[in-house]
């Protein structure tokens, strides 16, 4: 492995952890818990793992003397900075339990468990990946674990390796699967525990007990650096409007956090668009108005941040997508038989409701074709493939042409599209993510040592210095509700969307009129790994504002 100088220096970084994880740990159990909604359904579906108490750790004077245990780890879904540190924290934690414990990595995501593709993770391997970005130590994948045949195969493979616990590092969908697996293994008295770890740059796996998912901090800092650079370019050349789409499949947390870090002219928040019932034309009209206002001040340049999932929050398009999801699942073979996109569009339009067919037929060809692309294994539209940034530039241009005719606008508009997603997902984790992830991994090892299953590793109090962080476990069933997926009601972890009465969004609202017209750009610069703590260890603005409320 060829290593950069930074990587060599970062290997030596010792993550900061909560004091409680530094010695022997005692498990403290709280009250019985309930799911966030649909308690009757969820308790019936998870008779063995429902209602378990929240766990917090306390220091113990007793020396731990636990038997060696073999554990399997899986990285699931999209990459997020810090995954390697979860694994190294887990590894070190298991060795602390007993030096003869072993860690196996199932390769290429959950599919590795089913297909028995694994490698033993030893210290000489782990040491090369400490504090590095990426999931390449064992790879990731999006195979959905939901069939009992997959669970049984996974169990067979665990038995072969004498694996007694699985750690699934994933987002809301993967942790939902982890919970179903935990319940199945508990119900069948297999003796295999399952622990989840909250991962996703999208930041939408959070609640009272999970203050943030890992990777959000680093990804937002990388995107904010890039946005800041573009802002400086825009403010130097003064000739382009940059339309920057930011990852975050559904929730707009990334766009909001980057907006707060960089203070661009326009930040679209999908959740607000939905609440206001805006159409695509309304969104375009708002952006065009910002262009017109700045132009009147002589500023024919600006920055617009667009959340990746925007189109799914525009009510008419949301309805269209929901119909397309069902329709494409049902007529999969018929659609794939058709050769041209034109034929596919006509076929699909003929099966839609009249309202959705009207919306579908009014969309530009490229955009409509992108909406028909394959869904991911969880049934989600692959929004990273939909070029909303280009669509909006075209529509704003057309809108401005009309405004020129009426004399409302007399400026120059040149749009530059950007999409930031993959640039941030494998960045070297910030100190925050390096510390948080390592602590999450160690926490998972303690939960395993305590014989727990169906829990998510939880590290809280994250705006305090790391030694004061609170570690423990939260029953995954507690985060669940029932939602319609592929036409059926399913138990799933409730996604945390941007709260419109929450402090981060309110902060944007307080400032956005000023930022829209005036040039108040902030240039955050690159993540710093060495230096003063206020520069290197600061958490996101989102988490700081949320904790203040
Ligand atoms: P997870 O929810 O699995 O963490 O993935 C999030 C994400 O990065 C989204 O922001 C993005 O829409 C999606 O993954 C892209 O997926 P892929 O890597 O399959 O292109």
């Amino acid at each position: 492995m060829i290593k950069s100088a930074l990587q060599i220096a970062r290997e030596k970084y010792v993550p900061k952890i909560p004091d409680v994880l530094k010695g022997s740990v005692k498990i403290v159990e709280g009250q019985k818990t309930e799911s966030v909604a649909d308690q009757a359904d969820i308790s019936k579906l998870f008779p063995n793992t429902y209602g378990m108490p929240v766990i917090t750790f306390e220091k113990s004077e007793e020396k731990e003397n636990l038997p060696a245990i073999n554990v399997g780890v899986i990285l699931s879904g999209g990459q997020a900075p810090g995954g390697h540190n979860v694994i190294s924290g887990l590894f070190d934690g298991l060795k602390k339990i007993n030096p003869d414990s072993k860690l196996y990595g199932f390769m290429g995501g959950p599919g590795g468990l089913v297909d028995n593709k694994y490698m033993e993770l030893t210290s000489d391997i782990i040491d090369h990946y400490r504090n590095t970005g990426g999931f390449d130590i064992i790879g990731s994948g999006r195979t959905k674990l939901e069939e009992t045949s997959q669970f049984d195969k996974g169990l067979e493979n665990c038995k072969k390796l004498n694996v007694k616990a699985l750690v699934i590092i994933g987002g809301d969908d993967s942790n939902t699967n982890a919970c179903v697996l935990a319940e199945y293994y508990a119900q069948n008295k297999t003796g295999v525990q399952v622990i989840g770890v909250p991962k996703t740059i999208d930041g939408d796996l959070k609640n009272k007990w999970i203050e943030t998912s890992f990777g959000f901090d680093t990804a937002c800092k990388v995107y904010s650096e890039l946005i800041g650079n573009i802002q400086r370019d825009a403010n130097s050349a003064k000739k382009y409007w940059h339309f920057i789409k930011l990852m975050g499949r559904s929730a707009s947390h990334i766009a909001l956090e980057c907006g707060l870090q960089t203070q661009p002219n326009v930040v679209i928040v999908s959740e607000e668009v939905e609440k206001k019932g805006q159409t695509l034309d309304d969104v375009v009209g708002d952006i065009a108005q910002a262009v017109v206002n700045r132009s009147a001040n002589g500023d024919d340049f600006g920055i617009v941040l667009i959340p990746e999932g925007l189109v799914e929050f525009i009510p008419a398009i949301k309805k269209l997508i929901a119909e397309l999801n069902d329709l494409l699942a049902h007529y999969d073979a018929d659609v794939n038989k058709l050769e041209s996109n034109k034929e596919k569009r006509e076929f699909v339009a003929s099966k839609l409701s009249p309202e959705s067919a009207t919306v579908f037929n009014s969309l530009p060809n490229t955009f409509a074709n992108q909406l028909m692309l394959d869904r991911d294994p969880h049934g989600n539209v692959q929004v990273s493939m939909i070029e909303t940034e280009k669509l909006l530039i075209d529509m704003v241009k057309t809108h401005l042409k009309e405004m020129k005719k009426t004399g409302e606008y007399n400026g120059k508009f040149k749009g530059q599209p950007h999409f930031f997603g993959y640039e941030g997902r494998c960045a070297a984790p910030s100190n925050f993510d390096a510390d948080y992830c390592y602590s999450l991994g160690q926490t998972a090892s303690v939960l395993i040592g305590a014989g727990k299953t169906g829990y998510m590793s939880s590290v809280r109090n994250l705006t305090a210095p790391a030694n004061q962080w609170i570690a423990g476990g939260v029953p995954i069933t507690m985060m669940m509700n029932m939602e319609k997926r592929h036409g059926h009601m399913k138990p799933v972890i409730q996604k945390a969307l941007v709260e419109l009465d929450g402090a981060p969004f309110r902060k944007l609202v307080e400032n956005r009129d000023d930022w829209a017209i005036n040039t108040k750009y902030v240039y955050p610069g690159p993540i710093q790994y060495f230096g003063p703590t206020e520069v290197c260890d600061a958490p996101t603005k989102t988490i700081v504002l949320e904790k203040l409320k």
Side-chain angles (χ1 to χ4, degrees), residues 249-251 270-280 309-327 352-353 355-357 359-360 363 367 371 375 379-381 383 386 483-485 495 497:
R249 189 204 329 275
S250 199
S270 308
E271 290 82 347
E272 185 186 26
V273 169
E274 182 171 46
K275 175 87 190 300
K276 289 181 168 169
Q278 287 190 302
T279 62
L280 200 50
L310 173 65
V311 293
E312 284 195 280
F313 284 77
I314 293 173
I317 301 186
K318 185 179 183 171
K319 180 171 181 313
L320 166 66
I321 289 176
E323 285 186 31
L324 283 174
N325 288 350
D326 289 348
L327 195 156
L352 289 166
S353 68
E355 311 88 77
S356 291
V359 176
F360 190 61
L363 295 171
F367 186 57
L371 286 184
R375 272 45 182 161
N380 302 308
V381 177
V383 279
I386 298 177
E483 285 176 26
K484 197 170 175 193
R485 296 284 166 97
K495 229 185 228 318
L497 299 178

Side-chain angles (χ1 to χ4, degrees), residues 59-70:
K59 272 182 181 293
S60 161
E61 295 308 317
E62 277 168 46
K63 200 140 172 42
E64 277 162 19
N65 184 16
L66 294 168
I69 183 165
N70 289 0

Side-chain angles (χ1 to χ4, degrees), residues 76-78 142 199-202 247-249 308 382-384 422 425:
S76 182
R142 289 197 185 276
K199 170 235 69 167
T200 177
I201 61 160
D202 295 0
M247 256 192 187
R249 189 204 329 275
E308 187 184 47
Q382 301 197 50
V383 279
S384 60
Y422 302 100
R425 296 199 313 181

Side-chain angles (χ1 to χ4, degrees), residues 508-547:
L508 174 74
V509 173
E510 269 165 41
N511 290 287
R512 63 181 169 190
D513 291 346
D514 180 23
W515 299 348
I517 186 83
N518 299 307
T519 303
K520 293 274 181 85
Y521 302 154
V522 174
Y523 314 113
I527 293 176
Q528 301 295 308
Y529 300 98
F530 307 99
T533 190
E534 67 277 15
V535 179
C536 300
D537 299 331
T540 57
K541 295 202 181 285
T542 300
I543 197 169
V544 171
L545 288 163
E546 281 174 346
K547 295 286 273 184

Side-chain angles (χ1 to χ4, degrees), residues 474-504:
V474 193
I476 305 179
T477 49
M478 196 181 164
M479 305 171 199
M480 290 190 150
N481 66 169
M482 301 296 290
E483 285 176 26
K484 197 170 175 193
R485 296 284 166 97
H486 294 299
H488 300 283
M489 291 308 281
K490 294 257 165 134
V492 291
I493 293 178
Q494 197 174 54
K495 229 185 228 318
L497 299 178
V498 168
E499 287 177 8
L500 300 182
D501 56 355

Side-chain angles (χ1 to χ4, degrees), residues 118-424:
Y118 69 90
M119 67 192 276
E120 188 183 342
L121 295 167
T122 51
S123 60
D124 51 334
I125 300 172
I126 297 268
D127 287 349
H128 289 302
Y129 289 91
R130 289 181 192 270
N131 308 307
T132 57
F135 278 7
D136 44 319
I137 188 169
I138 48 173
S140 186
R142 289 197 185 276
T143 304
K144 197 171 174 175
L145 289 183
E146 58 174 355
E147 307 288 336
T148 50
S149 59
Q150 295 173 305
F151 302 165
D152 292 338
K153 271 197 188 154
L155 180 63
E156 246 171 63
N157 298 329
C158 285
K159 280 188 181 153
K160 283 183 203 151
L161 297 169
N162 195 24
V163 160
K164 296 286 188 208
L166 290 170
V167 174
I168 299 185
I169 303 172
D172 52 342
D173 286 331
S174 309
N175 273 286
T176 294
N177 292 165
C179 193
V180 175
L181 191 64
E183 175 64 31
Y184 184 81
Y185 284 171
Q187 197 174 357
N188 291 289
K189 308 207 176 343
T190 61
V192 176
Q193 303 159 237
V194 184
I195 299 293
V197 177
K199 170 235 69 167
T200 177
I201 61 160
D202 295 0
D204 56 7
L205 173 47
K206 66 174 169 182
N207 49 56
K208 184 172 163 212
W209 306 97
I210 305 295
E211 292 177 358
T212 186
S213 54
F214 80 77
F216 177 70
D217 182 89
T218 310
C220 288
K221 285 173 179 162
V222 171
Y223 304 143
S224 295
E225 178 205 350
L226 299 175
I227 294 163
N229 294 348
I230 288 179
Q231 290 188 151
R232 209 144 211 173
D233 194 288
N235 199 20
S236 306
K238 302 192 191 294
K239 63 176 178 182
Y240 293 124
W241 270 85
H242 293 271
F243 283 54
I244 306 171
K245 184 177 76 170
L246 292 159
M247 256 192 187
R249 189 204 329 275
S250 199
S252 309
H253 298 293
I254 296 181
L256 177 56
E257 171 65 23
C258 293
L260 296 173
Q261 286 193 29
T262 60
Q263 305 189 179
N265 305 104
V266 179
V267 181
I268 300 171
V269 172
S270 308
E271 290 82 347
E272 185 186 26
V273 169
E274 182 171 46
K275 175 87 190 300
K276 289 181 168 169
Q278 287 190 302
T279 62
L280 200 50
D281 284 336
D282 294 333
V283 174
V284 168
D286 287 352
I287 302 172
Q289 195 55 54
V291 173
V292 170
N293 294 347
R294 278 177 67 77
S295 182
N297 277 357
D299 291 333
D300 280 314
F301 66 95
I303 308 291
V304 182
L305 301 190
I306 306 153
E308 187 184 47
L310 173 65
V311 293
E312 284 195 280
F313 284 77
I314 293 173
I317 301 186
K318 185 179 183 171
K319 180 171 181 313
L320 166 66
I321 289 176
E323 285 186 31
L324 283 174
N325 288 350
D326 289 348
L327 195 156
L328 291 172
H330 193 252
Y331 294 103
D332 187 33
D334 304 82
V335 174
N336 283 332
K337 249 192 281 165
L338 299 170
E339 299 231 322
S340 70
N341 278 331
K342 187 169 176 288
E343 287 170 299
K344 288 182 187 174
R345 273 192 77 172
E346 282 166 5
F347 177 83
V348 164
S350 72
K351 305 281 177 212
L352 289 166
S353 68
E355 311 88 77
S356 291
T358 310
V359 176
F360 190 61
N361 290 329
S362 73
L363 295 171
N365 282 337
T366 340
F367 186 57
N369 294 341
Q370 287 166 354
L371 286 184
M372 292 191 300
L373 292 171
D374 287 342
R375 272 45 182 161
D376 79 2
H378 296 274
N380 302 308
V381 177
Q382 301 197 50
V383 279
S384 60
M385 319 263 274
I386 298 177
E387 295 175 317
T388 328
E389 65 285 18
K390 290 190 182 156
L391 174 75
L392 288 178
I393 289 179
D394 285 347
M395 292 182 76
V396 168
K397 206 187 277 173
T398 311
H399 194 100
L400 290 170
K401 254 191 207 153
E402 291 304 310
M403 291 179 92
K404 267 198 172 159
K405 284 186 199 157
T406 58
E408 291 165 90
Y409 171 64
N410 192 25
K412 286 192 193 112
F413 174 80
K414 277 194 266 176
Q416 289 281 7
H418 309 264
F419 169 37
F420 297 153
Y422 302 100
E423 293 81 349

